[in-house]
Every structure is written in C-alpha cells, then in structure tokens.
Amino acid sequence: MKSMKYKKITESQVEISELMLPSRSNFNGKIHGGYILSLLDQIAFACASKHSQVYCVTASVDTVDFLAPIEIGELVTMKASVNYVGKSSMVIGIRVESENIQTGLVKHCNSSYFTMVAKDDNGKSVKVPGLILENDQDVRRFVKSIKRLKMKIKRKTEFHETDFSSEEYMHLLDDYNVKFDIH
C-alpha cells in the first residue's frame, strides 16, 4: 500500500454504467430498487477502496433518495466520490442517472450516501488519507457530510433515550394520522 497523507477527490472517483435488463425489473415493470441498492453498495466499496487502498466495509447507508423510476432498457450511470473522510471512515456520495438510449433523455434517479470503513487484513480499522478540497463544491459536500453526521449522532442518542414519556410528546402528534388508545 502506498503511503499518502492526502488525495484529491478526483483520484478516487468511480463511474459505472449498465444497461437495465428485464430480469432486473419489479412487478410494475420498473427496475427493482433492491438491485439499484446492490449496485450502489458495489460502487461505494470500489470508491472507498480506491481512496484508502485497503479493503472497506459498509458501516451505514445514511441516505438513499429514489427520485425517479428507472425503466427497462435505460442505461444507468453511477458516479461515486469521496465526500468526507474521518480517521478510518469515508462518506461516499453517489449520483445515479438513467438515459433513455433512444431519445437521449437523461434523468437524475437517485442520490445516496454510504459510510464506508477501511479495514486491515485482521479486520481492524485503519487510517485513511485525508482529502484535498479543490473547489466550492468539494467544500460544500464535505460540510454537508459533517452536518449529516451530527444529525445521525443526534438521532442515535434520541433513539436510545430511556426516560421517554408519551405525554411529553403528545402535542407533536396533533397533525398526524393517529388515534390514541392508551390505557
């Protein structure tokens, strides 16, 4: 493994394209979201491993926003970049576009953020190279990753609260489609 303290984002970017076949469709004739998730995990692994130059594992899928359906016969292109690095973790941002190869129409179908962790041969986390931010977009993506990380920590803390009282939160449910039957 080459020892490199910092890398440019462009050094680790990965792009893949695949024609969507009928065998990948769901019962509605659209490409199955689970198949797209599998491709997202593969490209996140490739991008993170390329950046760290070691084996990486998926720690979490922070966000997956399905924006538009993908049709059979469209050419799907996924573009992955390292948006953020910690000590051993990396946030990989992935943009998915599909192209109708008959009309040339391109649509943004999905955006997602995978947190990947670099591991050595014994399964221990290893330090990853830092990032060289070269433009406003690089800075924006890095800062947005920090914000998502802070929100994730807050959600995890709230999820594990043990001093929960439903009465304290009832007012938050006023605008939702719920009926109370608490005894």
Side-chain angles (χ1 to χ4, degrees), residues 85-133:
V85 294
K87 291 178 185 165
S88 62
S89 67
M90 296 154 279
V91 173
I92 309 301
I94 308 165
R95 179 180 174 94
V96 179
E97 295 175 340
S98 70
E99 179 182 357
N100 180 314
I101 56 177
Q102 294 174 327
T103 66
L105 178 69
V106 175
K107 61 187 175 189
H108 179 200
C109 298
N110 184 299
S111 289
S112 59
Y113 303 95
F114 279 59
T115 300
M116 308 296 288
V117 178
K119 299 286 187 174
D120 67 13
D121 293 338
N122 298 315
K124 296 211 185 266
S125 297
V126 295
K127 189 173 171 126
V128 299
L131 283 180
I132 298 170
L133 306 178

Side-chain angles (χ1 to χ4, degrees), residues 20-183:
M20 293 295 108
L21 303 173
S23 61
R24 306 293 186 203
S25 68
N26 60 23
F27 294 111
N28 198 28
K30 310 296 182 199
I31 300 304
H32 197 286
Y35 180 68
I36 298 302
L37 285 170
S38 173
L39 291 177
L40 289 168
D41 192 49
Q42 289 175 41
I43 196 169
F45 168 83
C47 184
S49 296
K50 190 173 178 182
H51 181 78
S52 65
Q53 297 180 296
V54 296
Y55 182 78
C56 295
V57 297
T58 306
S60 70
V61 180
D62 301 317
T63 306
V64 178
D65 293 321
F66 290 98
L67 306 172
I70 299 171
E71 307 291 336
I72 295 168
E74 289 184 330
L75 181 66
V76 169
T77 300
M78 297 186 175
K79 301 171 185 178
S81 291
V82 179
N83 288 1
Y84 166 89
V85 294
K87 291 178 185 165
S88 62
S89 67
M90 296 154 279
V91 173
I92 309 301
I94 308 165
R95 179 180 174 94
V96 179
E97 295 175 340
S98 70
E99 179 182 357
N100 180 314
I101 56 177
Q102 294 174 327
T103 66
L105 178 69
V106 175
K107 61 187 175 189
H108 179 200
C109 298
N110 184 299
S111 289
S112 59
Y113 303 95
F114 279 59
T115 300
M116 308 296 288
V117 178
K119 299 286 187 174
D120 67 13
D121 293 338
N122 298 315
K124 296 211 185 266
S125 297
V126 295
K127 189 173 171 126
V128 299
L131 283 180
I132 298 170
L133 306 178
E134 299 184 286
N135 55 51
D136 287 344
Q137 180 173 295
D138 294 350
V139 173
R140 179 183 59 79
R141 287 177 174 169
F142 197 93
V143 169
K144 285 194 172 218
S145 293
I146 293 170
K147 287 182 177 183
R148 274 192 303 279
L149 180 60
K150 288 181 179 183
M151 286 189 296
K152 184 175 165 183
I153 291 167
K154 183 179 179 196
R155 279 193 314 271
K156 190 181 274 188
T157 302
E158 288 176 355
F159 182 78
H160 292 291
E161 281 182 353
T162 56
D163 59 344
F164 178 83
S165 167
S166 60
E167 293 170 9
E168 181 181 345
Y169 295 97
M170 292 292 219
H171 70 282
L172 297 174
L173 303 174
D174 290 344
D175 295 331
Y176 292 91
N177 188 20
V178 295
K179 178 179 174 184
F180 298 103
D181 190 13
I182 301 172
H183 303 285

